[in-house]
Amino acid sequence: MFLGSFGLDENTHQHYSSLSLEDTFLGRVLSSDGKRSHVMTEKGERIPNNSGKLRTRPEGPPVVGDWVVLKEVQGTISIVMVLPRRTRISRKAPGKATSEQLVAANIDTIFVMMGMDGDFNLRRLERYLVMISSSGAEGLVLLNKCDIAEDPDAMMSAVLDIAGNIPVLMMSALNGTGVEEVEKSLVPGRTICLLGSSGSGKSTLINRLLGEERIRTSSVGNMDKGRHTTTSRELYLLRSGALIIDNPGIRELQLWAEDEDIDNAFADIQGLSENCRFKDCQHLTEPDCAILNALENGELSRERYESYQKMKRELHHTRMRADMSAASAEKARWRSLKKDIRHYQRYKRER
């Protein structure tokens, strides 16, 4: 299978074969910017949909990493189906919309890169850890720019305290320190998605792993903020045989997850909660709350506790808004249906 080089596994291939769709063939989405997509086919052909040869589904392009079923009719290739996603990376859509925004699909490992400079932010990293938990993929934290860090050991220790079972590597994409350790996790045929802020060094790392300067990068500015150089999500085949997706820097990381995903990312707090007097303890004012006790004796930091509570409130608010939106849409559907019925009844009477 040619697409085996692009991550096609036996389960996906068997699922496609079981559909028994005539005159179709498989492809994988290599890039997407929300409007345009590029698809690699089993024939080894990379097709952009802005060429006029590829037609995406009416509801919009699939996401990078998707496996799609293609069909060619009179020289135009259409995406007729997106196969079930094995894993998915998503967040709440930016702004006021209450909907899921897919980032990538069929990912094996998520690399979260954080610079050991002005980009260093434990509270933001906690959000990425929740995203990893909700995705179904494995995770790895990359602490980049260790060569310019003021106190790399203290930073590493602080990250290890919150990372739980997710491994953490310290490195420098610019000078190559620690990149060998990163390369050990690159398994042929497996897909990695690289996430992080703009300027954290994602494109620099990918260029090093590619062995060539294929992705344009910009120098870091005065406020330790890199210029936003990556504008679309794109999948690259590395020298190792692994695949990696470069992403634009995420500026607004609102969660699209479940309570248990937060609990997994805050395993230390979840462990403490098992010793609370009440099973439904909200860890706010309840007596004999193990988490509040841990706050008082310094076992748990105030910043981590507040981050945990903030994400819990955020998810609750998102669910409430989603339920209200669904209820409003259902009411609108029934109003429209009743209106159609009245029009039909009037039509019947006037005949």
Side-chain angles (χ1 to χ4, degrees), residues 128-159:
Y128 278 114
L129 297 178
V130 174
M131 179 181 273
I132 290 172
S133 177
S134 67
S135 71
E138 298 175 356
L140 175 66
V141 176
L142 302 177
L143 295 181
N144 191 30
K145 306 182 184 181
C146 65
D147 51 322
I148 62 172
E150 293 184 2
D151 194 344
D153 291 337
M155 289 178 167
M156 181 70 164
S157 178
V159 171

Side-chain angles (χ1 to χ4, degrees), residues 86-103:
R86 184 168 46 83
T87 59
R88 56 197 291 140
I89 303 175
S90 58
R91 61 173 176 169
K92 177 187 168 296
K96 297 182 179 180
T98 308
S99 59
E100 178 185 21
Q101 182 187 63
L102 277 173
V103 175

